[in-house]
Amino acid sequence: MVKKNAQKPSAEADDLVTQGEAFLAEHKLDAALSCFSNAATAAPTRQAALYGRGVAAAKLWEESGPAQSPTSPNEELLHVAMASFRKVLQLDTTGRSELRYLSALAAGRVLMKAADLLEQNDSDDDTAWVVAAAPLLAEACQGFKEAERVAEEWGHPDIGSGGWGDWGKAFSLEMRRQMAEADCEHAVVQWGLHLVTLSRLCEDASAKFDNAVSSRADGGVEWDDDDETDDLHWMTIHVEHLLSFVGYAAKHVDASISSLNEAERNEWIRRILAAWRSAMRLADAIVVLTGTSGGWKHLALRGDVLASGCELVCAGFAGVHHLHVPRLQDPEGSDTASMQVDEEEVANAERLAILAEAAFAQALAQAGEGCVSTVSMATGELLLGLARRRLQRPCESPMPEIQDLLQRAANAFQAATSCRESDAEDRATAWYNLACAAGLAGRPEPAAKALQMCFRLVQPPKRRLGWIAEAANDADFTSVRLDPQVQEVLSAAGGYKKA
C-alpha cells in the first residue's frame, strides 16, 4: 500500500507533463506553465517537468514584452525559467542527459536575451546595465559551453544556428559591456590587458557567428525569433559586431596606442584591420546574395562599413592612412550610380567616403520604413567627420571644398529632422548634428536655431542639461559659441551662462 501511494504522485506528474507538452506544442503557454508547475509540485525531482516549466516561463517572458527591463514587470517569469533550468542541471548527475543538454542551452539563450534587453534600455546617463549584465553573461556563456560539451561527448545534436548565434551575441555583448565599463567616469584602464580581452571576445564572437551560418541543426527547442534567424541574419549581426570593435578603436586611438609597447601596438593594429576587412567582405557578400531585393538595410550596412573605415583613417589610427578595400560589386538590379570596385584597391579617407556615400545613395533608392532617417543620419555623420578632418589640416583642403562637405552634411541632417518615422531622440540628434555643421561653417544663426530645436525635443529636463553642457564644450561650436544668438539659446534652454 505504501508503495502504491508513493507511485501516485509520479503517475500524476507524468500525466501533467504530457498535458503540458501538448499545450506547449499548441502554443498555449499559460496552460502549459500551469501543467508543468503542478507536475513539479507533485514530483519535485521530475526533470521533464522542470525543463517544461522553464521553457513555458521563458516563452511567456519573451512574449509578454519586457519592454523596460528583464526584471520588470515580468521578473517572476524570468526567475521561474532560470530556477527551473538550474534545478535540472543540479539534479542531473550523469552529466550527459538530453535534458541537461537542453536546459544548459536554454539557460544560455534566455540569459543572453535578458542581458541584451538591459543594454537596449540603457540611457545616456545610466551605466547600471554594465554591472547588472555581467553575471547574466557569465552564466549564459557557461550554459552554452556546457551544452556544447554534452553534445560533443554524448552525441546530442549540434546546438544549432540559434544556439551558436546567441552564444556569439553573448560574447559580443560582453565585449561591449567591457567597453562601456572602461568608458565609465573615473575608470582606470590598463590598456594592454583591456585590448587583449576585447580582441579575444571579438574573435570568440566571430567564431560563433561563423558556426551559426554553417550549422544546419535546430539545437532542440525553437524560440519565437528563430524563424527570423537565417544565415543573412547572423552575417548581419556579425558585421555589426565587428563594427563595434573597429569603432571603439577609432574612438580611443590616442589612449590605446600611446600606452602599448611596439609588439602590443603592432598586434592591436593587425587585429583591428583584420576585423575591418572581415566586416567589409561579409557586408559585400550580403549585398551580392540579396541584390536589391534584400532591401535598404543591407545596402546601408555596406555603407556603414566603408564609413567606419573612413573614420578609422581620419582618426589617425596608428599612422594608418589607407585601407585595402576588397573587390566590391553593385547589387543586381541597381540603377543608381555604381560603387563597384573591380579589384582590391588601396583607399584613403576621401576614397572611402566616396564609396560609402555611393552605398548610402543605393540604400536610399530602395526606400522602406526607417530608411530616410537612418541613412540620412549615416550620410551626414560621414560627411561631417570628413569635414572635421579637413578643417584640422586647412593647408591640404581648399575652404570651398570644406564648405561643400558641410553643406551636404547639413542637407542630410535636415532630411533626418523631418522624418515622421523617427522618435524624438533621433530627431534631437539630427538637429544637434545640423547645429554642429553650421558651427563648423561659422554660421551662428542656423546653429542657434538647430540647437533650439534639439533642446526642445530632449526630455526630461535633467537630460537636457547634459546636452546643453555638451554643446557648451563642443569644439564644433568654437567659432560661434560667443555669438549672442547661440548664448541666448544655451542660457534659455537650461540656465547656462558663459564664463
Side-chain angles (χ1 to χ4, degrees):
M1 181 68 69
V2 173
K3 191 173 181 181
K4 277 189 175 181
N5 288 339
Q7 289 176 336
K8 187 175 180 181
S10 177
E12 179 186 358
D14 288 342
D15 290 341
L16 287 166
V17 168
T18 301
Q19 293 174 40
E21 289 172 344
F23 282 131
L24 202 58
E26 296 171 3
H27 209 72
K28 296 178 179 179
L29 300 180
D30 286 306
L33 179 59
S34 177
C35 286
F36 287 128
S37 296
N38 290 336
T41 300
T45 60
R46 184 59 53 87
Q47 294 178 38
L50 293 165
Y51 173 69
R53 184 178 69 179
V55 171
K59 284 178 173 286
L60 277 170
W61 172 69
E62 286 190 275
E63 290 195 0
S64 56
Q68 300 303 317
S69 78
T71 56
S72 175
N74 303 308
E75 179 178 5
E76 186 58 29
L77 286 171
L78 182 59
H79 173 76
V80 168
M82 288 310 306
S84 301
F85 297 140
R86 289 167 181 148
K87 189 66 174 177
V88 173
L89 295 173
Q90 177 187 348
L91 289 171
D92 176 67
T93 56
T94 68
R96 65 188 185 190
S97 73
E98 181 182 24
L99 287 175
R100 180 179 191 84
Y101 161 75
L102 292 172
S103 294
L105 180 57
R109 299 191 71 178
V110 170
L111 288 168
M112 185 286 297
K113 292 175 191 294
D116 188 36
L117 194 63
L118 285 170
E119 184 192 35
Q120 289 177 33
N121 291 286
D122 180 44
S123 60
D124 319 359
D125 51 357
D126 181 15
T127 55
W129 87 273
V130 171
V131 176
L136 301 183
L137 291 170
E139 187 177 355
C141 289
Q142 289 173 1
F144 289 122
K145 188 172 183 178
E146 176 64 4
E148 181 190 32
R149 181 196 68 79
V150 177
E152 288 182 348
E153 293 181 7
W154 299 102
H156 295 294
D158 177 271
I159 67 174
S161 178
W164 288 116
D166 280 352
W167 195 354
K169 288 178 71 174
F171 278 130
S172 187
L173 274 165
E174 176 59 17
M175 182 188 76
R176 296 197 300 277
R177 191 196 70 79
Q178 295 213 20
M179 290 173 178
E181 186 174 50
D183 283 345
C184 289
E185 191 175 3
H186 306 308
V188 178
V189 182
Q190 296 181 352
W191 282 102
L193 179 61
H194 182 54
L195 298 179
V196 167
T197 301
L198 296 184
S199 296
R200 176 179 51 78
L201 289 167
C202 181
E203 292 176 358
D204 286 346
S206 289
K208 305 312 178 200
F209 291 136
D210 286 341
N211 287 348
V213 173
S214 62
S215 175
R216 293 296 175 263
D218 61 17
V221 65
E222 294 288 320
W223 298 99
D224 296 330
D225 56 357
D226 281 353
D227 289 340
E228 303 171 6
T229 54
D230 58 9
D231 290 354
L232 287 172
H233 170 84
W234 293 120
M235 290 169 71
T236 300
I237 295 293
H238 193 175
V239 173
E240 292 170 347
H241 159 70
L242 293 169
L243 287 180
S244 296
F245 185 60
V246 173
Y248 187 79
K251 179 181 176 183
H252 295 281
V253 57
D254 293 333
S256 62
I257 292 297
S258 62
S259 62
L260 304 180
N261 61 42
E262 184 176 358
E264 291 172 332
R265 175 178 176 274
N266 291 338
E267 180 61 16
W268 179 231
I269 294 169
R270 185 194 68 77
R271 289 173 183 265
I272 291 297
L273 297 182
W276 185 83
R277 284 193 294 270
S278 294
M280 191 72 262
R281 290 191 179 94
L282 278 168
D284 190 60
I286 292 170
V287 170
V288 172
L289 286 170
T290 60
T292 55
S293 64
W296 66 269
K297 292 183 179 179
H298 295 155
L299 295 166
L301 183 64
R302 184 161 66 169
D304 289 337
V305 178
L306 289 161
S308 75
C310 181
E311 181 184 5
L312 200 60
V313 174
C314 286
F317 177 74
V320 173
H321 302 298
H322 302 82
L323 291 178
H324 289 266
V325 179
R327 181 175 179 269
L328 304 178
Q329 301 180 57
D330 286 320
E332 185 176 347
S334 174
D335 56 2
T336 58
S338 175
M339 59 160 292
Q340 187 156 317
V341 176
D342 294 324
E343 298 179 356
E344 180 173 305
E345 70 171 71
V346 179
N348 60 13
E350 285 70 22
R351 176 59 176 161
L352 289 163
I354 290 170
L355 291 171
E357 195 172 6
F360 290 140
Q362 289 180 344
L364 281 171
Q366 297 303 304
E369 183 179 355
C371 175
V372 174
S373 173
T374 303
V375 178
S376 295
M377 281 293 292
T379 303
E381 289 167 356
L382 167 72
L383 297 170
L384 186 61
L386 198 56
R388 288 189 182 112
R389 177 179 184 265
R390 291 193 176 185
L391 281 168
Q392 292 170 358
R393 303 172 182 177
C395 59
E396 298 179 10
S397 303
M399 187 53 67
E401 289 185 8
I402 298 175
Q403 291 290 352
D404 178 64
L405 283 172
L406 291 171
Q407 185 58 57
R408 284 156 55 201
N411 293 342
F413 292 133
Q414 189 71 59
T417 64
S418 57
C419 287
R420 294 181 179 179
E421 61 202 21
S422 303
D423 60 23
E425 182 85 2
D426 289 340
R427 293 198 306 277
T429 301
W431 279 114
Y432 187 90
N433 287 344
L434 183 58
C436 289
L440 289 171
R443 302 174 63 204
E445 182 176 353
K449 289 181 178 179
L451 282 174
Q452 186 177 48
M453 293 299 295
C454 166
F455 297 150
R456 285 177 182 174
L457 291 167
V458 179
Q459 296 295 336
K462 181 180 178 181
R463 289 191 69 244
R464 187 187 306 140
L465 290 175
W467 286 57
I468 294 167
E470 180 178 348
N473 294 286
D474 196 323
D476 288 349
F477 300 117
T478 299
S479 67
V480 300
R481 185 175 292 113
L482 297 182
D483 184 272
Q485 296 172 95
V486 175
Q487 284 288 308
E488 183 180 356
V489 171
L490 292 173
S491 179
Y496 166 80
K497 293 181 181 180
K498 68 178 180 179

Short mmCIF file of all heavy atoms in Angstrom, two decimals, residues 362-403:
data_model
loop_
_atom_site.label_atom_id
_atom_site.label_comp_id
_atom_site.label_asym_id
_atom_site.label_seq_id
_atom_site.Cartn_x
_atom_site.Cartn_y
_atom_site.Cartn_z
N GLN A 362 22.61 54.16 -52.78
CA GLN A 362 21.92 52.96 -53.24
C GLN A 362 20.86 52.52 -52.23
O GLN A 362 19.78 52.06 -52.62
CB GLN A 362 22.94 51.83 -53.45
CG GLN A 362 23.84 52.04 -54.66
CD GLN A 362 24.84 50.90 -54.84
OE1 GLN A 362 25.06 50.10 -53.94
NE2 GLN A 362 25.45 50.82 -56.02
N ALA A 363 21.16 52.67 -50.95
CA ALA A 363 20.18 52.31 -49.92
C ALA A 363 18.96 53.23 -49.97
O ALA A 363 17.82 52.77 -49.89
CB ALA A 363 20.83 52.37 -48.54
N LEU A 364 19.19 54.54 -50.12
CA LEU A 364 18.08 55.50 -50.18
C LEU A 364 17.18 55.22 -51.38
O LEU A 364 15.96 55.45 -51.32
CB LEU A 364 18.62 56.93 -50.25
CG LEU A 364 19.08 57.54 -48.94
CD1 LEU A 364 19.78 58.87 -49.19
CD2 LEU A 364 17.90 57.74 -47.99
N ALA A 365 17.76 54.73 -52.46
CA ALA A 365 16.97 54.46 -53.66
C ALA A 365 15.97 53.32 -53.44
O ALA A 365 14.97 53.21 -54.16
CB ALA A 365 17.90 54.11 -54.83
N GLN A 366 16.24 52.48 -52.44
CA GLN A 366 15.34 51.36 -52.16
C GLN A 366 14.15 51.76 -51.30
O GLN A 366 13.12 51.10 -51.33
CB GLN A 366 16.10 50.24 -51.44
CG GLN A 366 17.21 49.63 -52.27
CD GLN A 366 16.72 49.08 -53.58
OE1 GLN A 366 15.82 48.25 -53.61
NE2 GLN A 366 17.30 49.56 -54.67
N ALA A 367 14.31 52.84 -50.53
CA ALA A 367 13.26 53.32 -49.62
C ALA A 367 12.88 52.24 -48.61
O ALA A 367 13.57 51.22 -48.47
CB ALA A 367 12.05 53.80 -50.41
N GLY A 368 11.79 52.44 -47.92
CA GLY A 368 11.37 51.49 -46.89
C GLY A 368 11.30 52.16 -45.54
O GLY A 368 11.86 53.24 -45.32
N GLU A 369 10.61 51.52 -44.60
CA GLU A 369 10.41 52.09 -43.27
C GLU A 369 11.75 52.33 -42.57
O GLU A 369 12.57 51.44 -42.47
CB GLU A 369 9.55 51.16 -42.42
CG GLU A 369 9.23 51.71 -41.04
CD GLU A 369 8.35 50.78 -40.22
OE1 GLU A 369 7.93 49.74 -40.76
OE2 GLU A 369 8.11 51.10 -39.05
N GLY A 370 11.93 53.54 -42.10
CA GLY A 370 13.14 53.90 -41.37
C GLY A 370 14.32 54.25 -42.24
O GLY A 370 15.37 54.65 -41.74
N CYS A 371 14.17 54.11 -43.55
CA CYS A 371 15.30 54.29 -44.46
C CYS A 371 15.83 55.71 -44.45
O CYS A 371 17.02 55.93 -44.24
CB CYS A 371 14.91 53.88 -45.88
SG CYS A 371 16.18 54.17 -47.12
N VAL A 372 14.96 56.68 -44.70
CA VAL A 372 15.42 58.07 -44.85
C VAL A 372 16.11 58.56 -43.58
O VAL A 372 17.19 59.15 -43.63
CB VAL A 372 14.24 58.98 -45.22
CG1 VAL A 372 14.70 60.45 -45.24
CG2 VAL A 372 13.67 58.60 -46.58
N SER A 373 15.50 58.29 -42.44
CA SER A 373 16.08 58.75 -41.17
C SER A 373 17.45 58.13 -40.92
O SER A 373 18.44 58.82 -40.67
CB SER A 373 15.14 58.41 -40.02
OG SER A 373 15.74 58.68 -38.78
N THR A 374 17.53 56.81 -41.02
CA THR A 374 18.76 56.10 -40.70
C THR A 374 19.88 56.43 -41.68
O THR A 374 21.01 56.74 -41.29
CB THR A 374 18.51 54.58 -40.69
OG1 THR A 374 17.47 54.28 -39.75
CG2 THR A 374 19.77 53.83 -40.33
N VAL A 375 19.56 56.35 -42.97
CA VAL A 375 20.60 56.54 -43.98
C VAL A 375 21.01 58.00 -44.07
O VAL A 375 22.19 58.30 -44.27
CB VAL A 375 20.12 56.01 -45.35
CG1 VAL A 375 21.18 56.25 -46.42
CG2 VAL A 375 19.79 54.53 -45.26
N SER A 376 20.07 58.92 -43.92
CA SER A 376 20.42 60.34 -43.93
C SER A 376 21.35 60.70 -42.78
O SER A 376 22.32 61.44 -42.95
CB SER A 376 19.15 61.21 -43.87
OG SER A 376 18.36 61.04 -45.02
N MET A 377 21.07 60.13 -41.61
CA MET A 377 21.95 60.37 -40.46
C MET A 377 23.35 59.82 -40.72
O MET A 377 24.36 60.47 -40.44
CB MET A 377 21.36 59.74 -39.20
CG MET A 377 20.25 60.55 -38.57
SD MET A 377 20.82 62.10 -37.87
CE MET A 377 21.81 61.51 -36.50
N ALA A 378 23.40 58.61 -41.25
CA ALA A 378 24.71 57.99 -41.53
C ALA A 378 25.48 58.80 -42.57
O ALA A 378 26.70 59.01 -42.42
CB ALA A 378 24.51 56.57 -42.01
N THR A 379 24.79 59.29 -43.59
CA THR A 379 25.44 60.10 -44.62
C THR A 379 25.96 61.40 -44.03
O THR A 379 27.10 61.82 -44.29
CB THR A 379 24.46 60.40 -45.76
OG1 THR A 379 23.97 59.17 -46.31
CG2 THR A 379 25.13 61.20 -46.86
N GLY A 380 25.12 62.05 -43.22
CA GLY A 380 25.54 63.30 -42.60
C GLY A 380 26.73 63.13 -41.69
O GLY A 380 27.67 63.95 -41.70
N GLU A 381 26.73 62.06 -40.89
CA GLU A 381 27.85 61.83 -39.98
C GLU A 381 29.15 61.55 -40.74
O GLU A 381 30.23 61.99 -40.33
CB GLU A 381 27.51 60.67 -39.05
CG GLU A 381 26.45 61.04 -38.02
CD GLU A 381 25.88 59.83 -37.29
OE1 GLU A 381 26.27 58.69 -37.64
OE2 GLU A 381 25.03 60.02 -36.41
N LEU A 382 29.03 60.83 -41.84
CA LEU A 382 30.19 60.57 -42.69
C LEU A 382 30.80 61.87 -43.22
O LEU A 382 32.01 62.11 -43.09
CB LEU A 382 29.78 59.68 -43.87
CG LEU A 382 30.78 59.55 -45.03
CD1 LEU A 382 31.98 58.71 -44.60
CD2 LEU A 382 30.09 58.93 -46.25
N LEU A 383 29.96 62.73 -43.78
CA LEU A 383 30.45 63.97 -44.39
C LEU A 383 30.94 64.94 -43.32
O LEU A 383 31.94 65.66 -43.52
CB LEU A 383 29.33 64.61 -45.22
CG LEU A 383 28.87 63.76 -46.41
CD1 LEU A 383 27.60 64.34 -47.03
CD2 LEU A 383 29.97 63.67 -47.46
N LEU A 384 30.25 64.98 -42.18
CA LEU A 384 30.67 65.87 -41.09
C LEU A 384 32.04 65.45 -40.56
O LEU A 384 32.91 66.29 -40.29
CB LEU A 384 29.63 65.84 -39.97
CG LEU A 384 29.82 66.82 -38.81
CD1 LEU A 384 29.80 68.26 -39.30
CD2 LEU A 384 28.74 66.60 -37.75
N GLY A 385 32.25 64.14 -40.42
CA GLY A 385 33.55 63.66 -39.94
C GLY A 385 34.66 63.99 -40.90
O GLY A 385 35.76 64.37 -40.48
N LEU A 386 34.39 63.88 -42.19
CA LEU A 386 35.41 64.21 -43.19
C LEU A 386 35.71 65.70 -43.18
O LEU A 386 36.87 66.11 -43.31
CB LEU A 386 34.93 63.77 -44.57
CG LEU A 386 35.99 63.65 -45.67
CD1 LEU A 386 37.10 62.69 -45.25
CD2 LEU A 386 35.37 63.17 -46.97
N ALA A 387 34.68 66.52 -42.97
CA ALA A 387 34.89 67.97 -42.90
C ALA A 387 35.75 68.33 -41.69
O ALA A 387 36.63 69.20 -41.78
CB ALA A 387 33.55 68.68 -42.83
N ARG A 388 35.49 67.67 -40.56
CA ARG A 388 36.30 67.93 -39.36
C ARG A 388 37.77 67.63 -39.65
O ARG A 388 38.66 68.38 -39.25
CB ARG A 388 35.80 67.07 -38.20
CG ARG A 388 34.46 67.48 -37.61
CD ARG A 388 34.19 66.70 -36.33
NE ARG A 388 32.90 67.00 -35.74
CZ ARG A 388 31.87 66.15 -35.69
NH1 ARG A 388 32.00 64.93 -36.20
NH2 ARG A 388 30.74 66.51 -35.13
N ARG A 389 38.01 66.51 -40.31
CA ARG A 389 39.39 66.13 -40.60
C ARG A 389 40.07 67.18 -41.47
O ARG A 389 41.21 67.56 -41.24
CB ARG A 389 39.40 64.77 -41.30
CG ARG A 389 40.80 64.30 -41.73
CD ARG A 389 40.72 62.93 -42.39
NE ARG A 389 42.04 62.41 -42.74
CZ ARG A 389 42.61 62.54 -43.93
NH1 ARG A 389 42.00 63.20 -44.90
NH2 ARG A 389 43.81 62.03 -44.16
N ARG A 390 39.36 67.66 -42.49
CA ARG A 390 39.96 68.64 -43.39
C ARG A 390 40.18 69.98 -42.70
O ARG A 390 41.14 70.68 -43.00
CB ARG A 390 39.07 68.81 -44.62
CG ARG A 390 39.06 67.56 -45.51
CD ARG A 390 38.45 67.85 -46.86
NE ARG A 390 38.52 66.71 -47.75
CZ ARG A 390 38.14 66.73 -49.02
NH1 ARG A 390 37.66 67.85 -49.54
NH2 ARG A 390 38.24 65.66 -49.76
N LEU A 391 39.30 70.33 -41.77
CA LEU A 391 39.49 71.59 -41.04
C LEU A 391 40.72 71.53 -40.15
O LEU A 391 41.32 72.57 -39.85
CB LEU A 391 38.25 71.89 -40.20
CG LEU A 391 37.05 72.48 -40.97
CD1 LEU A 391 35.80 72.46 -40.11
CD2 LEU A 391 37.37 73.92 -41.41
N GLN A 392 41.08 70.33 -39.72
CA GLN A 392 42.29 70.18 -38.91
C GLN A 392 43.55 70.34 -39.74
O GLN A 392 44.62 70.57 -39.21
CB GLN A 392 42.29 68.81 -38.21
CG GLN A 392 41.22 68.66 -37.14
CD GLN A 392 41.09 67.24 -36.65
OE1 GLN A 392 41.79 66.33 -37.13
NE2 GLN A 392 40.21 67.01 -35.69
N ARG A 393 43.40 70.20 -41.06
CA ARG A 393 44.53 70.35 -41.98
C ARG A 393 44.15 71.31 -43.10
O ARG A 393 44.04 70.93 -44.27
CB ARG A 393 44.90 68.99 -42.57
CG ARG A 393 45.23 67.95 -41.51
CD ARG A 393 45.40 66.57 -42.13
NE ARG A 393 45.68 65.56 -41.11
CZ ARG A 393 45.81 64.27 -41.36
NH1 ARG A 393 45.70 63.83 -42.61
NH2 ARG A 393 46.06 63.42 -40.39
N PRO A 394 43.92 72.55 -42.75
CA PRO A 394 43.40 73.52 -43.74
C PRO A 394 44.31 73.73 -44.94
O PRO A 394 43.85 74.06 -46.03
CB PRO A 394 43.24 74.80 -42.92
CG PRO A 394 44.16 74.62 -41.74
CD PRO A 394 44.15 73.18 -41.44
N CYS A 395 45.61 73.52 -44.75
CA CYS A 395 46.53 73.73 -45.87
C CYS A 395 46.36 72.67 -46.95
O CYS A 395 46.79 72.86 -48.10
CB CYS A 395 47.97 73.75 -45.38
SG CYS A 395 48.48 72.24 -44.53
N GLU A 396 45.74 71.52 -46.61
CA GLU A 396 45.57 70.44 -47.58
C GLU A 396 44.26 70.51 -48.34
O GLU A 396 44.09 69.81 -49.34
CB GLU A 396 45.66 69.09 -46.85
CG GLU A 396 46.99 68.83 -46.17
CD GLU A 396 47.01 67.50 -45.44
OE1 GLU A 396 46.05 66.71 -45.65
OE2 GLU A 396 47.95 67.25 -44.67
N SER A 397 43.32 71.34 -47.86
CA SER A 397 41.99 71.36 -48.47
C SER A 397 41.52 72.80 -48.67
O SER A 397 41.49 73.57 -47.70
CB SER A 397 40.99 70.63 -47.58
OG SER A 397 41.39 69.31 -47.34
N PRO A 398 41.13 73.17 -49.87
CA PRO A 398 40.56 74.50 -50.11
C PRO A 398 39.28 74.67 -49.30
O PRO A 398 38.48 73.73 -49.16
CB PRO A 398 40.27 74.51 -51.61
CG PRO A 398 41.10 73.39 -52.16
CD PRO A 398 41.21 72.36 -51.09
N MET A 399 39.06 75.87 -48.76
CA MET A 399 37.87 76.12 -47.95
C MET A 399 36.56 75.85 -48.70
O MET A 399 35.60 75.33 -48.09
CB MET A 399 37.89 77.54 -47.41
CG MET A 399 36.78 77.84 -46.41
SD MET A 399 36.71 76.64 -45.02
CE MET A 399 38.26 77.01 -44.20
N PRO A 400 36.45 76.15 -50.00
CA PRO A 400 35.19 75.83 -50.70
C PRO A 400 34.85 74.34 -50.64
O PRO A 400 33.67 73.98 -50.56
CB PRO A 400 35.47 76.30 -52.13
CG PRO A 400 36.48 77.38 -51.99
CD PRO A 400 37.36 76.95 -50.86
N GLU A 401 35.85 73.47 -50.70
CA GLU A 401 35.58 72.03 -50.63
C GLU A 401 35.05 71.65 -49.24
O GLU A 401 34.14 70.82 -49.12
CB GLU A 401 36.85 71.24 -50.93
CG GLU A 401 37.29 71.29 -52.38
CD GLU A 401 38.48 70.39 -52.64
OE1 GLU A 401 38.84 69.60 -51.73
OE2 GLU A 401 39.05 70.46 -53.75
N ILE A 402 35.62 72.28 -48.22
CA ILE A 402 35.15 72.00 -46.85
C ILE A 402 33.73 72.51 -46.67
O ILE A 402 32.87 71.83 -46.08
CB ILE A 402 36.10 72.65 -45.83
CG1 ILE A 402 37.51 72.04 -45.95
CG2 ILE A 402 35.56 72.46 -44.41
CD1 ILE A 402 38.54 72.71 -45.07
N GLN A 403 33.45 73.71 -47.18
CA GLN A 403 32.10 74.26 -47.08
C GLN A 403 31.10 73.37 -47.82
O GLN A 403 29.96 73.18 -47.36
CB GLN A 403 32.07 75.68 -47.65
CG GLN A 403 32.83 76.72 -46.83
CD GLN A 403 32.14 77.04 -45.51
OE1 GLN A 403 31.02 76.61 -45.25
NE2 GLN A 403 32.81 77.81 -44.66
#
